[in-house]
């Protein structure tokens, strides 16, 4: 395959706390790379999850949830990490909860540079009573910015993730792979083990 036919790039996964960013990353990569928890602010580090498929490679950047409600030194540091993660990526996936949109969602969306391709992943659609409940959310999201795609998904139930990957791939630049095909993350085994231990505390 020629390099011109291959697509690869960095994809930032952003959203307010507890919308399912880490679960989405794990599902997309197919391994437990980023820890998940019922407690908000579980993700403390910039974590890369690499997924290599025929003709494309996704380098996912998982970020802390952007905090707009509570000011603290820790939350300020986490918010800076979100902003930094958006500084040099090819695509941004904004994860929102299908049940409701909030001012915090809008604040995270505002961090995305206008020129950067962005895709809205409307997560947890499996929890809705009826598909029509999505319509107001889709209509509102369309007013926030010119998204490349609006994709209803369920990270927990593995719903429409292939559709999401296809939409992301359309936005990736033509480029040879950035990592070897067998790379899953830039974190070593000791780091991942420590993360899993902390998750259980």
């Amino acid at each position: 395959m020629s390099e011109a036919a291959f697509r690869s790039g960095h994809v930032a996964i952003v959203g307010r706390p507890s919308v399912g960013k880490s679960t989405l990353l794990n599902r997309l990569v197919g391994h437990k790379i980023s820890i998940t928890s019922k407690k908000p602010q579980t993700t403390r580090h910039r974590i890369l999850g690499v997924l290599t498929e025929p003709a494309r490679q996704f380098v996912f950047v998982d970020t802390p949830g952007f905090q707009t409600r509570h000011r603290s030194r820790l939350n300020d540091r986490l918010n800076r990490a979100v902003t930094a993660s958006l500084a040099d990526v090819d695509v941004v996936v904004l994860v929102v909860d299908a049940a409701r949109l909030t001012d915090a969602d809008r604040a995270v969306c505002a961090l995305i540079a206008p020129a950067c391709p962005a895709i809205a992943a409307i997560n947890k659609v499996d929890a809705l009573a009826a598909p029509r409940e999505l319509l107001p959310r889709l209509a509102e999201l369309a007013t926030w910015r010119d998204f490349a795609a609006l994709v209803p998904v369920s990270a927990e139930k593995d719903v429409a993730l292939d559709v999401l990957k296809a939409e992301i791939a359309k936005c990736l630049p033509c480029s040879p792979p950035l990592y070897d095909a067998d790379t899953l993350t830039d974190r070593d085994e000791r780091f991942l083990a420590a993360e899993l231990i902390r998750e259980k505390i």
Side-chain angles (χ1 to χ4, degrees):
M1 179 181 299
S2 68
E3 289 187 359
F6 199 93
R7 291 181 178 270
S8 65
H10 291 86
V11 183
I13 299 177
V14 300
R16 62 177 169 85
S18 302
V19 292
K21 299 183 301 298
S22 294
T23 300
L24 179 61
L25 173 64
N26 292 336
R27 283 287 189 178
L28 290 170
V29 178
H31 295 270
K32 191 167 186 177
I33 301 297
S34 182
I35 61 175
T36 60
S37 172
K38 297 295 184 183
K39 295 181 293 185
Q41 302 297 356
T42 302
T43 304
R44 293 286 193 267
H45 302 277
R46 185 172 183 265
I47 298 172
L48 293 179
V50 182
L51 173 64
T52 303
E53 296 182 337
R56 60 197 192 185
Q57 184 181 79
F58 308 87
V59 182
F60 292 105
V61 181
D62 189 31
T63 65
F66 186 78
Q67 262 291 1
T68 60
R69 184 172 294 179
H70 306 293
R71 291 301 303 271
S72 70
R73 264 195 243 175
L74 172 61
N75 286 337
D76 286 346
R77 183 160 57 86
L78 293 173
N79 289 349
R80 286 195 298 271
V82 176
T83 305
S85 74
L86 301 181
D88 189 26
V89 297
D90 300 294
V91 187
V92 175
V93 177
L94 173 68
V95 185
V96 298
D97 193 320
R100 65 191 181 101
L101 296 176
T102 70
D103 289 341
D105 294 314
R106 186 186 288 271
V108 177
C109 185
L111 294 175
I112 306 171
C116 183
I119 295 168
I122 303 92
N123 194 23
K124 306 181 184 179
V125 295
D126 56 300
L128 297 179
R132 65 177 179 275
E133 293 184 28
L134 262 181
L135 297 178
R137 251 72 77 195
L138 296 174
E140 183 176 350
L141 281 166
T143 68
W144 289 5
R145 65 170 289 136
D146 185 16
F147 285 101
L150 302 173
V151 187
V153 303
S154 170
E156 184 71 29
K157 302 296 183 182
D158 198 8
V159 173
L161 298 190
D162 284 343
V163 176
L164 178 60
K165 286 191 295 182
E167 293 296 340
I168 295 170
K170 292 177 185 178
C171 300
L172 293 177
C174 291
S175 167
L178 303 175
Y179 290 86
D180 293 336
D182 59 353
T183 300
L184 293 177
T185 179
D186 67 343
R187 303 292 181 174
D188 61 28
E189 292 182 359
R190 288 177 299 174
F191 174 86
L192 293 175
E195 288 283 79
L196 292 175
I197 291 171
R198 184 166 64 80
E199 178 186 10
K200 296 176 181 178
I201 297 176

